[in-house]
Amino acid sequence: MKEKNKEVIRKFYQEFFNDHVVESADKYVREDYIQHNPGVDQGRESLKSAFADKFVADPDFRLDIQMLIAEEDMVAVYLKNVDSQGNTKCRVVDIYRLEDGMLAEHWDVLQPCG
């Protein structure tokens, strides 16, 4: 299960955050997604809406996975948000709880750079 959950995260980050295919969340995120980041409302549709706006405002936005750690139904992802020249803009740790192979719950910690 751990490797399968890590693969779900890898695919989600590539399609959603890096390719900016907002609709890909329908494959990876539960409709009743619980969000612990106060900047994004609850549910899959709120996640899609928030990032659709983000991708318009920052068309070069991407998150590069540096490390994945999985334990039972939880996956922690250490990422770097990089600009188009490859410079690190901030570091992020996202923590997900997966249910039935889909993202069910999310926590995060951000560390701005420079």
Side-chain angles (χ1 to χ4, degrees):
M1 174 162 68
K2 290 189 274 188
E3 289 306 313
K4 182 179 178 189
N5 286 345
K6 288 164 81 172
E7 188 60 25
V8 168
I9 296 293
R10 279 187 197 96
K11 289 178 180 178
F12 173 66
Y13 273 83
Q14 182 58 49
E15 293 175 32
F16 187 84
F17 290 114
N18 295 340
D19 296 340
H20 299 180
V21 181
V22 175
E23 297 77 23
S24 68
D26 296 339
K27 294 189 290 189
Y28 301 108
V29 180
R30 290 177 52 93
E31 188 175 349
D32 60 350
Y33 182 66
I34 300 167
Q35 177 65 263
H36 295 283
N37 179 323
V40 180
D41 289 334
Q42 301 301 310
R44 179 175 62 210
E45 292 304 314
S46 294
L47 176 72
K48 289 166 59 176
S49 176
F51 278 92
D53 293 343
K54 171 97 177 140
F55 299 150
V56 168
D58 186 358
D60 293 327
F61 181 85
R62 67 176 290 111
L63 292 169
D64 291 344
I65 295 175
Q66 304 296 304
M67 185 183 321
L68 286 167
I69 302 168
E71 183 72 30
E72 297 181 17
D73 65 348
M74 305 292 289
V75 177
V77 189
Y78 171 59
L79 312 137
K80 289 183 180 179
N81 171 225
V82 295
D83 64 20
S84 58
Q85 288 79 41
N87 300 309
T88 301
K89 294 170 67 175
C90 76
R91 293 175 177 90
V92 181
V93 175
D94 281 327
I95 303 169
Y96 295 96
R97 181 179 61 81
L98 284 84
E99 189 175 315
D100 300 323
M102 296 182 80
L103 283 60
E105 195 166 4
H106 169 257
W107 299 259
D108 62 13
V109 180
L110 306 173
Q111 179 187 43
C113 294

